[in-house]
């Protein structure tokens, strides 16, 4: 990927401060990240380090106190100023996967995938076809008609992954997506992210504690106490080994 | 994809129970309207059915439907002589209560002016009109009397020769139709002992008069039956009904009769109005206020139910917002559920009401206009009650999906 080409997502100097005065808490300080199209990025760090704050900020859910977010070359957020309809932008360009499967309980597995496409204007028939393809790809096609309560944690997570991929987003944001999966399934999901990133040119940011699949990632970032640091590539981090904070 | 119906499908049991609850509440609202219609219908039924153009009643009274009215029975002949009057009929009306099979039986007795009125205007469902001046009656089915059944009232026994349906008095009692003379006999029936005591009292009073001392035959006459004494007046009737000749001016006829010092005269509409503004008005206001109260309660309960349903979906709504659903999708889901709940509740109210209302002791009449009005009210309260849920849903942040 050429540096001249617009990044899938670029965050510059993101800071998030909760409260003020004596109750002020700096959750994230001057965090920057550039994810090229087709690049898969891991974000590591201990609990409370600011990973989720960063992820929700670049996911246009949580407004940063300051900093800029550019997606696909378009400046969408500068501090608390939004330059587009964030909800509509999220629907079209971002895919989310979270630690908990976050499926809508009153929709079946296939409807949970379809809803994302139908909100973007896809027809019922086309969305059903693609949803079935995605469920099949993720190995849960046989549970398409089941409600989330009838699925195991791993099956629910795979349906959530299918939903995140449904609209062919330019950026996929995943927060501990493999927490509910066994090692093999977890690795398959990570490899799936890499495949989607490479085939569709999407940028992928994965917050994870799962060190067994770190070799899948192109770049690794770490956060601690709200500060973000970058490793040049995954080669510098050994799989199955604890990550040591970088300078 | 319709999220409202998907949610209902998934929580069908809860939704069905909620809809039944709302339906029962709306059924009560519907029933209150029906009871009011029934009261008005029952109250005005006689006035509408007897088809009189003018009513002559006791001076300065509001007529037999509103209060006690007594006029001389010979008034019918005076009235018949007024130019423009085609027919004058006596009207005798009173309510009696007797025991039958150990249960109280309330009968609204109405006298028909034999032979001009044998009950031809009555909607008979079985049997015939009165065929003789005495000892026959036409009864409403509500009284529970069968055709051919004999019932003793006062000293006489009457045979049911005809049956009517839905001929009810303003107070909800079934009507029974007799000749005027029989109706008066029932009304003024006096036990033998009371008659004997009354005659003795008459004699005792007479003994104090000089005339009776000078002429003992006068005292003997005083002991005779009241009907044989010219000094004792005929029993009074409640009112006289007039039917005017074609082309006769009701106001002109009323003006003539109003000049008589002993009576007041009303048109049929005037009598109807007096009835509705009198005894029925309070019932109407009472039922109306109760209906408003129930409607408000239904709206509050619906609002709370929809609010609770929204609270149950906070996570789903946050998730929908997170994946980019516009507010209209969320708003539409809550609004549609409110409308479906209102619509289904209304349907349940109607269906259950159809089965239950006929079992009520008073008539419950579901008029189309009232049903349409209630449907409009249900639509309005569905929309209004969803506002609380919508307000809550609009406040939900996508962040809550991550909590």
């Amino acid at each position: 990927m050429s540096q001249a080409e617009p990044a899938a997502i670029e965050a510059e100097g993101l800071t998030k401060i909760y409260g003020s005065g004596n109750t002020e808490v700096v959750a994230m300080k001057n965090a920057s990240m550039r994810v090229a199209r087709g690049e898969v990025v891991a974000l590591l760090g201990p609990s409370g380090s600011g990973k989720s704050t960063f992820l929700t900020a670049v996911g246009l859910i949580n407004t940063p106190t300051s900093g800029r977010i550019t997606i696909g070359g378009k400046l969408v957020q500068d501090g608390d100023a939004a330059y587009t309809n964030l909800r509509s932008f999220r629907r079209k360009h971002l895919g989310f996967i979270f630690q908990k499967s976050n499926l809508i309980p009153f929709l079946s597995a296939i409807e949970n995938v379809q809803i994302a496409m139908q909100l973007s204007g896809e027809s019922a028939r086309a969305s059903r076809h693609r949803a079935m393809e995605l469920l099949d790809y993720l190995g849960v096609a046989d549970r398409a008609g089941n409600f989330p309560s009838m699925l195991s944690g791993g099956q629910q997570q795979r349906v959530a992954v299918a939903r995140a991929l449904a609209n062919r987003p330019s950026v996929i944001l995943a927060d501990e997506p493999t927490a509910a999966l066994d090692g093999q399934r977890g690795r398959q999901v990570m490899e799936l992210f890499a495949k989607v990133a490479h085939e569709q040119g999407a940028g992928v940011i994965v917050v994870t504690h799962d060190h067994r699949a770190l070799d899948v990632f192109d770049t690794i970032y770490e956060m601690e106490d709200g500060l973000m640091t970058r490793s040049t590539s995954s080669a510098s981090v050994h799989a199955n080994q604890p990550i040591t904070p970088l300078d | 994809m319709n999220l409202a119906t998907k949610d209902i499908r998934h929580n069908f049991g809860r939704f069905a129970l909620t809809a039944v609850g709302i339906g029962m509440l709306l059924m009560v609202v519907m029933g209150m309207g029906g009871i009011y219609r029934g009261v008005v219908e029952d109250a005005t039924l006689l006035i509408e059915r007897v088809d009189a153009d003018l009513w002559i009643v006791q001076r300065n009274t509001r007529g037999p439907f509103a209060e006690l009215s007594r006029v001389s029975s010979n008034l019918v002949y005076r009235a018949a002589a007024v130019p423009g009057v085609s027919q004058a009929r006596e009207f005798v009306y009173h309510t009696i209560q007797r025991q039958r099979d150990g249960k109280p039986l309330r009968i609204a007795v109405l006298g028909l002016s034999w032979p001009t009125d044998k009950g031809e205007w009555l909607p008979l469902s079985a049997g015939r009109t009165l065929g003789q001046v005495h000892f026959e009656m036409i009864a409403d089915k509500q009284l529970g009397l069968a055709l051919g059944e004999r019932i003793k009232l006062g000293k006489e026994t009457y045979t049911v020769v005809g049956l009517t349906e839905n001929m009810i008095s303003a107070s909800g009692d079934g009507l029974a139709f007799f000749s005027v003379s029989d109706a008066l006999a029932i009304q003024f029936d006096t036990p033998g002992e009371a008659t004997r005591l009354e005659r003795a009292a008459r004699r005792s009073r007479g003994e104090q008069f000089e005339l009776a001392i000078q002429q003992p035959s006068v005292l003997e006459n005083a002991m005779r039956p009241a009907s044989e004494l010219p000094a004792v007046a005929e029993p009074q009737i409640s009112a006289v009904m007039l039917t005017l000749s074609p082309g006769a001016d009701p106001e002109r006829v009323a003006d003539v009769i109003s000049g008589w010092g002993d009576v007041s005269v009303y048109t049929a509409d005037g009598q109807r109005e007096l009835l509705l503004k009198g005894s029925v008005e309070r019932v109407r206001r009472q039922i109306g206020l109760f209906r408003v109260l129930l409607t408000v309660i239904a709206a509050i309960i619906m609002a709370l139910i929809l609010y609770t349903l929204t609270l149950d979906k906070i996570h789903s709504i946050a998730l929908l917002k997170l994946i980019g659903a516009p507010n209209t999708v969320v708003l539409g889901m809550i609004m549609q559920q409110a409308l479906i709940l209102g619509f289904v509740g209304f349907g349940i109210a109607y269906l259950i009401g159809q089965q239950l209302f006929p079992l009520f002791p008073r008539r419950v009449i579901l008029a189309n206009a009232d049903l349409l009005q209630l449907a409009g009210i249900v639509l309005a309260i569905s929309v209004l009650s969803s506002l609380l849920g919508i307000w809550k849903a609009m406040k939900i942040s996508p962040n809550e999906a991550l909590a």
Side-chain angles (χ1 to χ4, degrees):
Chain A
M1 295 289 164
S2 160
Q3 286 289 319
E5 190 180 353
I9 185 164
E10 187 166 8
E12 298 172 77
L14 294 186
T15 298
K16 180 69 182 179
I17 302 169
Y18 292 104
S20 60
N22 292 337
T23 60
E24 183 178 291
V25 176
V26 181
M28 177 171 67
K29 192 174 180 183
N30 205 25
S32 296
M33 178 188 282
R34 186 181 194 280
V35 182
R37 294 175 190 271
E39 186 177 9
V40 187
V41 171
L43 181 56
L44 307 175
S47 295
S49 60
K51 304 187 298 295
S52 294
T53 304
F54 176 79
L55 207 67
T56 53
V58 295
L60 310 178
I61 299 166
N62 209 351
T63 307
T65 309
S66 63
R68 291 154 60 96
I69 299 165
T70 307
I71 297 176
K74 179 179 169 62
L75 177 65
V76 290
Q77 182 101 47
D78 189 351
D80 57 2
Y83 291 96
T84 184
N85 180 326
L86 297 182
R87 202 181 292 186
S88 169
F89 198 88
R90 268 203 310 270
R91 183 169 67 232
K92 291 174 187 164
H93 300 286
L94 303 181
F96 294 93
I97 303 148
F98 294 94
Q99 186 169 359
K100 286 192 285 182
S101 65
N102 268 327
L103 298 177
I104 296 171
F106 56 82
L107 297 181
S108 65
I110 192 165
E111 288 166 346
N112 262 288
V113 184
Q114 272 184 282
I115 185 75
M117 288 180 272
Q118 289 192 10
L119 287 172
S120 299
E122 196 78 68
S123 72
R125 189 172 176 171
S127 65
R128 187 167 184 82
H129 184 254
R130 176 158 168 76
M132 206 61 208
E133 274 183 354
L134 285 165
L135 292 177
D136 189 37
Y137 185 70
L138 288 154
V140 281
D142 57 327
R143 311 307 299 267
N146 290 123
F147 288 103
S149 59
M150 300 156 80
L151 303 175
S152 69
Q155 287 168 333
Q156 287 183 35
Q157 194 62 295
R158 279 181 276 163
V159 175
V161 172
R163 184 182 63 201
L165 299 177
N167 280 330
R168 298 178 176 85
S170 52
V171 177
I172 294 171
L173 303 170
D175 190 359
E176 299 283 1
T178 58
L181 305 180
D182 59 42
Q184 190 187 351
R185 288 280 184 205
R187 184 167 185 85
Q188 281 175 354
V189 168
M190 295 298 193
E191 285 173 351
L192 178 68
F193 289 152
K195 187 178 174 191
V196 170
H198 297 144
E199 285 179 2
Q200 296 182 14
V204 179
I205 303 173
V206 180
V207 170
T208 184
H209 281 110
D210 189 352
H211 292 175
R212 291 170 296 183
L214 286 181
D215 57 306
V216 171
F217 298 98
D218 299 312
T219 313
I220 294 167
Y221 284 80
E222 275 208 275
M223 282 196 86
E224 191 159 3
D225 296 334
L227 292 168
M228 182 178 283
T229 50
R230 178 178 186 273
S231 167
T232 51
S233 77
S234 63
S236 61
V237 181
H238 298 289
N240 300 321
Q241 292 295 318
I243 303 297
T244 49
L246 301 176
D247 293 331
Chain B
M1 187 182 299
N2 189 304
L3 295 173
T5 53
K6 298 282 182 195
D7 184 34
I8 289 168
R9 175 194 65 178
H10 190 246
N11 298 297
F12 186 76
R14 191 174 58 170
F15 178 82
L17 277 176
T18 307
V20 168
I22 295 283
M24 298 293 270
L25 203 58
L26 291 177
M27 186 197 71
V28 178
V29 178
M30 198 181 276
M32 295 308 289
I35 288 169
Y36 167 65
R37 284 281 166 211
V39 166
V40 170
E41 181 85 4
D42 292 347
T44 57
L45 184 79
L46 257 182
I47 296 171
E48 307 286 349
R49 291 278 187 184
V50 294
D51 198 25
D53 297 314
L54 291 174
W55 287 77
I56 308 176
V57 304
Q58 185 181 335
R59 185 78 177 178
N60 295 332
T61 71
R62 304 294 175 190
F65 299 110
E67 57 180 310
L68 189 69
S69 167
R70 290 272 169 265
V71 293
S72 166
S73 57
N74 65 17
L75 178 64
V76 70
Y77 304 113
R78 265 199 284 161
V82 175
V85 174
S86 158
Q87 190 185 58
R89 287 176 285 165
E90 296 146 302
F91 182 80
V92 173
Y93 180 72
H94 56 91
T95 304
I96 58 172
Q97 181 169 325
R98 300 286 184 273
Q99 284 289 116
R100 184 166 178 267
D101 299 334
K103 289 179 184 172
L105 174 67
R106 285 181 63 82
I107 305 174
V109 174
L110 193 123
L112 299 176
S113 192
W114 177 276
T116 52
D117 184 359
K118 297 169 185 169
E120 294 88 347
W121 51 273
L122 291 170
L124 291 178
S125 61
R128 57 169 173 81
T129 57
L130 297 184
Q132 58 188 47
V133 68
H134 287 303
F135 315 130
E136 285 189 353
M137 65 184 283
I138 299 167
D140 189 77
K141 277 189 173 170
Q142 202 221 39
L143 294 170
L145 301 171
L147 201 61
E149 190 170 342
R150 291 158 64 81
I151 178 170
K152 190 167 168 43
L153 296 170
K155 295 182 185 64
E156 309 297 346
T157 302
Y158 300 87
T159 306
V160 179
V161 297
L163 291 174
T164 60
E165 269 185 67
N166 294 327
M167 291 297 289
I168 312 288
S169 75
S171 53
D173 303 316
L175 282 162
F177 304 87
F178 303 78
S179 66
V180 163
S181 52
D182 282 352
L184 289 170
I186 293 166
Q187 184 177 8
F188 297 106
D189 172 53
T190 318
E193 181 62 15
T195 305
R196 281 189 290 279
L197 288 170
E198 199 271 330
R199 286 178 191 172
R202 220 185 290 156
R203 184 188 173 89
S204 173
R205 276 202 313 275
E207 284 169 352
Q208 297 168 16
F209 286 89
E210 183 72 19
L211 181 65
I213 297 165
Q214 290 172 353
Q215 295 185 35
S217 61
V218 171
L219 209 54
E220 283 168 22
N221 278 339
M223 292 289 288
R224 292 166 61 187
S227 60
E228 294 175 11
L229 297 176
V232 179
E234 286 283 308
Q236 291 185 305
I237 58 175
S238 305
V240 169
M241 301 177 289
L242 301 183
T243 306
L244 302 184
S245 307
D249 180 7
E251 281 191 23
R252 198 182 171 92
V253 175
D255 277 349
V256 171
I257 297 170
S258 297
W260 302 346
D262 58 337
V263 295
S264 293
V265 62
Y266 297 106
T267 62
D269 285 343
Q271 186 69 274
R272 187 176 190 277
E273 197 70 7
L274 278 173
L275 182 65
L276 292 180
K277 286 190 175 168
S279 55
V280 179
E281 175 65 10
R282 249 182 225 169
V283 176
R284 186 185 74 81
R285 281 161 66 182
Q286 181 135 337
I287 291 175
L289 283 171
F290 199 50
R291 203 176 173 210
V292 168
L293 210 62
L294 281 171
T295 308
V296 171
I297 291 168
I300 291 170
I301 290 176
M302 270 185 80
L304 287 174
I305 287 170
L306 288 163
Y307 183 71
T308 310
L309 289 175
T310 306
L311 287 182
D312 287 349
K313 286 195 290 286
I314 281 181
H315 188 259
S316 298
I317 290 168
L319 194 56
L320 282 167
K321 288 185 174 184
L322 181 73
I323 63 173
N327 281 338
T328 50
V329 170
V330 177
L331 187 146
M333 176 173 68
I334 296 168
M335 185 74 84
Q336 282 170 36
Q337 284 191 338
L339 291 172
I340 291 170
L341 199 60
F343 180 77
V344 173
F346 184 82
I348 289 171
Y350 182 76
L351 290 175
I352 298 178
Q354 289 286 324
Q355 304 301 314
L356 283 185
F357 293 153
L359 306 176
F360 280 34
R362 290 294 300 259
R363 279 205 294 165
V364 181
I365 298 172
L366 298 181
N368 286 341
D370 290 346
L371 289 175
L372 277 174
Q373 186 197 45
L374 183 61
I377 291 170
V378 170
L379 181 71
I381 63 175
S382 297
V383 172
L384 286 175
S385 59
S386 68
L387 295 181
L388 191 62
I390 288 169
W391 168 78
K392 177 68 185 172
M394 292 302 104
K395 282 178 60 181
I396 295 171
S397 158
N399 269 324
E400 292 181 50
L402 312 176

